[in-house]
Amino acid sequence: METLLYAAELVQEDGAYKLVVQDVVRDTVQVTPVPKSAVDRLPTFLSVLSAKLGTAQGR
């Protein structure tokens, strides 16, 4: 059985990006700005992380 612990969204608003992370267990939300350069590298970062952890890509 899966239990959702965190939910994350990457949001673009007025040309700026922000990462919104919800802690489902504690019912809190954190928001932090993210530079476009980091947004552009996100697919690569996720691929590298999956490779290092030996997990399947995509869901």
Side-chain angles (χ1 to χ4, degrees):
M1 180 172 119
E2 290 185 0
T3 301
L4 182 62
L5 302 175
Y6 293 93
E9 295 178 311
L10 181 61
V11 179
Q12 181 183 18
E13 183 177 347
D14 299 324
Y17 297 94
K18 60 185 175 182
L19 180 63
V20 180
V21 179
Q22 177 186 7
D23 182 330
V24 177
V25 175
R26 294 177 183 86
D27 195 29
T28 60
V29 175
Q30 292 183 359
V31 179
T32 189
V34 178
K36 184 177 182 326
S37 60
V39 172
D40 293 341
R41 291 190 314 261
L42 188 58
T44 301
F45 172 76
L46 292 174
S47 293
V48 169
L49 182 62
S50 291
K52 287 187 181 226
L53 297 176
T55 58
Q57 291 185 1
R59 186 168 184 190

